[in-house]
Amino acid sequence: MNLVIDIGNSSVKLYLFENNSILFNEIFKEDELLDKLQFIDQKHDVSNVICSSVTNNYEKDLHNIFKKSIIYDLSDENLKFPFKNNYQSKNTLGQDRLSLISSVVNEYSNQNSLIIDIGTCITYDFVDLNNVYHGGAISLGIAARYQSFNDYTSNLPLIEFKEIDKLVGANTNDSLHIGVSNGIIGEIKEYIRSLKTKYRDLNVIITGGDFSFLLNKIKNAIFADRDFLAYGLNYIIKYNEAYKK
């Protein structure tokens, strides 16, 4: 049984895998993590543990709790990934992005693929048909754009996201909603269009906590579920197990 942990900016997702199947999953706040891990260790026979975190490093805690398990550290230079990494600053490449790229290669091996993860940030990651990762882009997510209006101006309010079917805002709130929504949609469409000028056959996979916002707005995109990153982490375990044989 594999324990997969996905620590994001707003929550933690915990999964128990048996081969390729999710047996159990739970979402909770990060301050509950260590208690949850202690419980998992007591109740389940965990063979392998892997953690992707964009916040804190829990490798020491994982080793202390899961003494009988193999701990896979995404920052370990000896860890094998199912793709060739051409990113120049490998040490700064987020663990979440490594996991998503691995999931893409698992699902769409030897195809040109762009994975778009829309959450606190929007990340774009491109893998070519030779399973070579080239990099991508990072921009602000939905909530961060709303927060920026309030943080960096004197008069604009802090409001929550709302879907709006307008092109012209007749009041400030509607103008902000339109600016955020159309800004994100336009950004994503243009990034895809530009990449397709070089890579005509291109899979576009969209995931992340806010991916439903883009449903029916991006043509010919594949909408992966919110567990897409977790499947990538589980695949990294399996890939390294096979590599040892």
Side-chain angles (χ1 to χ4, degrees):
M1 186 178 295
N2 296 335
L3 173 62
V4 166
I5 308 162
D6 171 18
I7 304 174
N9 286 296
S10 58
S11 64
V12 176
K13 298 176 184 178
L14 184 149
Y15 302 81
L16 286 173
F17 276 85
E18 191 69 61
N19 294 319
N20 293 320
S21 299
I22 297 174
L23 302 181
F24 170 83
N25 69 292
E26 187 176 6
I27 302 175
F28 48 87
K29 295 297 183 182
E30 189 172 347
D31 58 8
E32 303 175 66
L33 176 59
L34 295 183
D35 288 339
K36 298 284 187 181
L37 295 179
Q38 294 280 2
F39 180 81
I40 291 290
D41 181 57
Q42 293 168 9
K43 297 294 182 180
H44 298 278
D45 183 17
V46 176
S47 301
N48 305 292
V49 181
I50 191 166
C51 176
S52 165
S53 177
V54 300
T55 60
N56 301 301
N57 188 320
Y58 288 95
E59 294 304 319
K60 184 177 179 180
D61 298 292
L62 294 176
H63 282 282
N64 288 336
I65 294 170
F66 298 98
K67 293 183 172 63
K68 297 180 181 179
S69 307
I70 297 173
I71 312 297
Y72 288 91
D73 182 357
L74 290 174
S75 62
D76 183 354
E77 293 182 356
N78 296 315
L79 191 69
K80 307 298 180 184
F81 292 95
F83 57 88
K84 180 182 177 183
N85 191 349
N86 274 0
Y87 203 63
Q88 291 182 0
S89 55
K90 293 179 176 61
N91 292 336
T92 66
L93 183 59
Q95 295 184 349
D96 54 336
R97 297 174 76 186
L98 287 168
S99 308
L100 288 169
I101 300 157
S102 298
S103 194
V104 168
V105 172
N106 182 35
E107 291 288 331
Y108 307 99
S109 182
N110 299 115
Q111 300 177 50
N112 293 319
S113 297
L114 173 68
I115 175 74
I116 302 172
D117 180 22
I118 177 166
T120 303
C121 290
I122 303 172
T123 59
Y124 304 78
D125 291 291
F126 173 69
V127 185
D128 72 16
L129 52 77
N130 296 310
N131 294 336
V132 177
Y133 172 64
H134 294 273
I138 305 172
S139 67
L140 290 176
I142 294 173
R145 296 188 191 215
Y146 278 105
Q147 186 70 49
S148 295
F149 289 134
N150 188 245
D151 286 349
Y152 295 104
T153 68
S154 299
N155 298 314
L156 291 178
L158 177 60
I159 58 175
E160 294 185 356
F161 168 74
K162 184 180 78 172
E163 292 242 25
I164 187 166
D165 187 20
K166 295 180 181 179
L167 285 177
V168 179
N171 57 65
T172 298
N173 282 13
D174 282 0
S175 297
L176 293 173
H177 291 312
I178 293 167
V180 170
S181 297
N182 288 357
I184 289 174
I185 294 166
E187 170 191 310
I188 290 173
K189 285 182 175 179
E190 176 59 20
Y191 196 94
I192 294 170
R193 187 202 65 78
S194 296
L195 199 56
K196 280 188 173 181
T197 61
K198 184 173 182 181
Y199 302 96
R200 183 171 299 177
D201 296 322
L202 179 71
N203 296 315
V204 177
I205 304 102
I206 299 175
T207 188
D210 291 328
F211 84 110
S212 60
F213 158 67
L214 294 173
L215 288 172
N216 303 317
K217 297 181 178 72
I218 308 297
K219 291 182 179 179
N220 303 317
I222 301 163
F223 284 85
D225 62 32
R226 291 179 175 86
D227 301 328
F228 194 72
L229 188 150
Y231 281 104
L233 287 169
N234 190 58
Y235 181 53
I236 292 170
I237 291 176
K238 295 181 66 179
Y239 187 80
N240 280 268
E241 285 182 324
Y243 199 90
K244 293 175 184 177
K245 295 178 180 178

